[in-house]
Every structure is written in structure tokens, then in C-alpha cells.
Amino acid sequence: MINIYKNDINHKVIKVEESGPGCWISVTAPTQKEVSILTENYGLNLDFIKSALDDEESSRTEKEDDQTLIIVDTPEMEVKDENTILYYTTPLSIIIKDKMVFTITLNTNTVIEDVINGRVKGINTAFMTKFILQLMLRSNTIYLSYLRKIDKASNIIEEHLNEATKNEEIVQLLELQKSLVYFSTSLKSNETTLNKIFRGNIIKLYEEDKDLLEDVLIENKQAMEMASIYSRILSGMMDAFSSVINNNLNTVMWRLTVITVILAVPTIVYSFYGMNTDLPLPYTWFPSIISVFAMVVVWIILINSKSLRK
């Protein structure tokens, strides 16, 4: 899908029919026909487009003739079920050509959707460098938002730590930790790309753009630090979870053992009275009293033994 956007007289980003200098052309999951339009009508480099449509492509920059390619990893969120939310990253490719900015994504991208829906203030497609940096700044803002959600989710799981006896909580923590690995790796790659842009060899930087780029770098670094901290916290929490689950299972097994031993006492007593031997007071009430008394004694011994172990 190819959509063309431009600022109107009220500085609002609107969809237009004709492209030209100062336009932003958003391309999402293009068909083969749309790829041909991009290469033939707009003259985009086919290799750049192929790189843009590779979901495994890492963050990088490349310049060839009159075109510049910038790829950054942006965060995405997917609700797996009511208890599990997956966080991952996907490449956002930006191509600059003929004073127009092309963004190409393999699937719907949160950063692009935010810009289209007016959630990013001060967007002006005519100022290409500023527009690109605003996309990156929005990406970092979403990173920070998702990292806070990951921290909140881990805190909710931690509240159920004492009652944990199943692997469900550990699986959720594993998903969160995997998300943090994706984020950390992508943020480091993005930092390398941003440093290349900062040197001014990739796109032309104006004086007012440098402050914005510094803000992008600061937020990227902040997101990296948060991802690193949360990853260490989750690692420690997973170790604690494993210990707690083992202890809780041991407690359950101990309770089952106590019940089994106590219930075995009447069986033993009545077994003696069921033998062909002469035992004192061969009446029904007598072995019942002995069984109850023995069960109480066994229960007290087992409880005291557990207290001594503590």
C-alpha cells in the first residue's frame, strides 16, 4: 500500500493524491506491482527496497548516488493472550530521494501510525531531516513506554511469587526477558546509526536539527540503560521464582506425606486386629480409639519435626 502525505496550510499532515518535493510517501507491505511503481516511477534503488522488506535487516545506513537509506529498529507489541503480551522490534526503512522521504515497512508500524493519526506534534514533511529525526524520537518514546509496561508486568508477576507452584509465571518472565534482549540489541544498533547521522555524512544536518538529534541520542541511551537494568532484575527474579516454586512444591509434597502417614495408622491397627491372634479387648471401639490416638501422636511428631528443621 502506497500513501502520499503532505502538510496542509494548517500544518496538519494530510493524505494527497500527487507526490512532489516536500512529500512523505508511506509504503506498507507493498505488492510486486507497487514495488515496480517505486522503482520505475520514483526511481528507487531495488536493492534498497529489498533491504527494507527484510524483517531480519539490522539498523544501518547506506548511500548510493542520489539516494540515502536509513534503517532503524522500532518497537512493536502483540497481545498473545490475556496474560501474555509479546514485545519485539521490526525494521523501519527510510529512503531519501528528490527531496521526498519514503518510509517502507513490511507490516503496519506503530511509529508510522502515530504520525498519520496526529499523535506526533510539530511534524512537517517539507523539512526532511527534522521529519526523519522526529520519527526516530517517536520510536524511542515508544521504547520507553513499552519498557515501563514490561517493568509493570514483572511487578505484577512478582506479587504472585509466594503462591507460585506452576511454570506459568516463569514462562511469562521468559517472554519478558526475551523482549528485553530484542530491545537491547536493537537499541545498540540504532545508537550506531544515530552516531553516523550525528557526524553529518548521511543526511544534511542544520543547526536546529542537532539539538533534536541530541534528544534522540539521549532517549536512545536512556532506553538502553532501562532495558539493561530491567533485564538484570528479571534474571534475578527468575532465579528467585525457581527457588520459590521448588520450596512450594516441597511443602505440598510434605503435606501429602503427612496425610498419607496419618491415614496409614488406622490401617495398621485394624490389620493387627484382623489377624488370627488373641489381642486384648477385641471390640470394635477399642481399635478405633487406638487409631485416633495414634493418628494424633503421629501428627504431633511430624509437625514438631518440621518446626525443628526450620
Side-chain angles (χ1 to χ4, degrees), residues 5-222:
Y5 297 94
K6 194 173 185 179
N7 285 86
D8 60 8
I9 57 175
N10 297 319
H11 305 290
K12 184 179 179 181
V13 177
I14 60 171
K15 189 176 179 180
V16 296
E17 298 297 328
E18 299 292 333
S19 62
C23 285
W24 162 39
I25 301 176
S26 175
V27 183
T28 304
T31 62
Q32 190 60 45
K33 182 179 179 181
E34 289 172 335
V35 171
S36 299
I37 293 174
L38 293 173
T39 55
E40 295 172 8
N41 295 7
Y42 294 101
L44 296 188
N45 189 308
L46 181 59
D47 290 335
F48 283 2
I49 297 175
K50 288 181 179 179
S51 297
L53 298 177
D54 183 1
D55 60 349
E56 299 295 331
E57 193 71 33
S58 59
S59 179
R60 64 184 180 88
T61 61
E62 188 174 343
K63 196 167 185 177
E64 186 172 325
D65 299 331
D66 60 340
Q67 300 181 43
T68 301
L69 170 68
I70 301 173
I71 301 178
V72 292
D73 289 325
T74 59
E76 294 293 334
M77 179 181 70
E78 178 185 349
V79 179
K80 189 175 181 181
D81 54 54
E82 61 180 1
N83 296 321
T84 307
I85 299 177
L86 300 180
Y87 297 91
Y88 59 97
T89 60
T90 183
L92 167 62
S93 301
I94 304 168
I95 300 177
I96 305 170
K97 187 181 185 298
D98 297 335
K99 296 184 179 180
M100 291 186 292
V101 176
F102 297 80
T103 58
I104 304 176
T105 57
L106 190 59
N107 300 297
T108 302
N109 188 279
T110 303
V111 175
I112 300 300
E113 291 297 311
D114 285 353
V115 175
I116 293 174
N117 295 324
R119 299 191 187 99
V120 183
K121 305 300 181 183
I123 289 291
N124 192 329
T125 59
F127 300 145
M128 294 188 299
T129 302
K130 183 179 179 181
F131 175 65
I132 293 170
L133 293 177
Q134 284 176 315
L135 291 178
M136 296 180 178
L137 184 62
R138 184 61 183 179
S139 175
N140 287 339
T141 302
I142 297 173
Y143 268 119
L144 292 171
S145 175
Y146 286 172
L147 284 168
R148 294 187 187 98
K149 289 182 179 179
I150 290 174
D151 182 48
K152 186 177 180 181
S154 65
N155 289 335
I156 293 174
I157 297 174
E158 186 178 6
E159 292 176 359
H160 302 90
L161 181 62
N162 291 332
E163 295 83 18
T165 57
K166 298 181 180 179
N167 293 328
E168 182 180 349
E169 290 83 2
I170 289 185
V171 171
Q172 292 177 4
L173 285 177
L174 280 172
E175 294 291 349
L176 293 178
Q177 191 172 44
K178 185 168 65 174
S179 300
L180 289 174
V181 172
Y182 289 151
F183 281 9
S184 297
T185 305
S186 297
L187 286 166
K188 289 178 182 178
S189 299
N190 286 350
E191 184 182 39
T192 303
T193 300
L194 288 169
N195 286 327
K196 289 181 179 179
I197 295 174
F198 189 77
R199 289 194 287 268
N201 299 327
I202 305 302
I203 54 177
K204 186 176 181 180
L205 287 174
Y206 299 92
E207 194 62 36
E208 57 271 20
D209 296 328
K210 292 182 179 179
D211 292 337
L212 181 57
L213 179 56
E214 288 179 358
D215 291 340
V216 178
L217 283 165
I218 290 171
E219 290 220 357
N220 191 85
K221 186 175 181 179
Q222 183 182 352

Side-chain angles (χ1 to χ4, degrees), residues 256-309:
L256 291 175
T257 302
V258 169
I259 294 172
T260 302
V261 172
I262 291 175
L263 292 178
V265 172
T267 304
I268 296 172
V269 173
Y270 278 97
S271 296
F272 279 115
Y273 274 87
M275 297 178 182
N276 294 324
T277 55
D278 292 330
L279 294 173
L281 298 174
Y283 305 105
T284 304
W285 59 267
F286 184 71
S288 298
I289 292 175
I290 293 177
S291 298
V292 172
F293 178 76
M295 289 170 66
V296 172
V297 171
V298 170
W299 180 78
I300 292 173
I301 293 173
L302 291 174
I303 294 298
N304 288 336
S305 66
K306 184 181 180 183
S307 300
L308 291 173
R309 286 199 302 271

